[in-house]
Amino acid sequence: SNLLWGVSAHGPILPSLRDKATSGLVKKIPTLSKSAIDLDIPQIVCALARQGHRHDSFMEAVAARCEDELRRINDWGLCALAWSYEEIYPPNQGSWEGCWLERGIIKNNAISWDPDFDTEVTPLTFLGRSTCLMELDGTKYTGKLDKKGGRIKWDDEVWLRGPDRFTQFKESLATCIRKRDLGKRMAASPQGARAWYGGSCARPDKKIMRK
């Protein structure tokens, strides 16, 4: 986790390193120790989110393993998980951002394609609220978002809005954050645990962690 975190702070994570780390962990996550769930997993998840990388099977495994451990995860780890899931899987709010069926997820002026596609991320150029330009393999496409935000009509096909991802897990994270009154600190979690705790990685005491 420290390697991925360090690399993500100084530049792009090599796909080979990222894929090896996440794919190797998918099968191990269910049996990871509580200490690993407390810091290592939030650190890896946040490192990926800082660079906008999606790895759905890894994130599914993390959500399944952490769901029952959220009350025990340290404050920074909790905020890092919440920030990362919102960053990678933004909620559908009728705008361009969110999940599009069998295509990918639009966030921060780019689309992160589903695993079936050869390309990972493609930049998008928005012309007002309802028009978007995208270039793939040298060909430019124009997309039009309908008034309800449920469809994008491109030159050659139509995309349909997909359901939100990880809704239950994100709600569980939000509940824990409200109970600990950490809402205003979540946005700072990408800075890392040391900076978040003011230069120290000391953990909160158990009373705070299990509030």
Side-chain angles (χ1 to χ4, degrees):
S1 66
N2 288 332
L3 176 60
L4 281 178
W5 183 262
V7 172
S8 72
H10 295 90
I13 301 175
L14 291 175
S16 57
L17 173 61
R18 181 193 69 217
D19 294 343
K20 182 178 181 179
T22 51
S23 299
L25 277 171
V26 168
K27 294 182 179 180
K28 297 180 181 179
I29 285 177
T31 59
L32 287 179
S33 66
K34 292 183 178 180
S35 62
I37 296 300
D38 187 44
L39 180 61
D40 293 337
I41 290 302
Q43 194 171 45
I44 293 173
V45 170
C46 195
L48 297 176
R50 290 202 303 186
Q51 298 199 355
H53 293 308
R54 278 177 61 201
H55 194 297
D56 293 343
S57 59
F58 173 71
M59 298 297 274
E60 288 167 0
V62 169
R65 178 67 177 85
C66 292
E67 179 73 41
D68 295 331
E69 301 289 343
L70 294 182
R71 292 194 309 115
R72 300 178 179 85
I73 292 178
N74 71 87
D75 288 351
W76 174 80
L78 187 69
C79 287
L81 286 173
W83 178 85
S84 298
Y85 276 84
E86 288 294 336
E87 182 70 14
I88 300 176
Y89 303 101
N92 297 327
Q93 298 178 335
S95 63
W96 291 88
E97 291 195 345
C99 179
W100 295 94
L101 281 175
E102 299 180 356
R103 291 299 178 266
I105 294 175
I106 293 179
K107 173 74 176 182
N108 293 336
N109 299 330
I111 178 167
S112 171
W113 297 99
D114 285 347
D116 293 338
F117 291 84
D118 294 331
T119 304
E120 289 190 0
V121 178
T122 299
L124 302 174
T125 301
F126 294 99
L127 305 176
R129 296 182 178 180
S130 61
T131 305
C132 174
L133 300 180
M134 175 175 64
E135 183 173 343
L136 288 174
D137 299 325
T139 302
K140 295 182 179 180
Y141 300 89
T142 300
K144 297 283 187 178
L145 181 68
D146 70 7
K147 293 182 179 180
K148 295 183 178 180
R151 294 159 57 96
I152 301 176
K153 184 177 181 180
W154 296 94
D155 299 321
D156 59 342
E157 63 180 10
V158 174
W159 294 5
L160 300 178
R161 176 77 69 181
D164 282 340
R165 301 290 306 274
F166 300 104
T167 301
Q168 180 178 334
F169 185 56
K170 289 195 286 187
E171 288 178 353
S172 297
L173 286 164
T175 297
C176 289
I177 285 176
R178 283 195 301 270
K179 288 181 177 180
R180 300 190 202 180
D181 195 22
L182 295 172
K184 294 182 179 180
R185 302 198 64 191
M186 192 173 80
S189 57
Q191 298 174 8
R194 186 174 298 278
W196 198 88
Y197 284 119
S200 170
C201 281
R203 309 292 177 77
D205 60 37
K206 292 183 178 181
K207 290 183 180 179
I208 296 177
M209 289 172 64
R210 300 189 181 188
K211 183 176 179 181

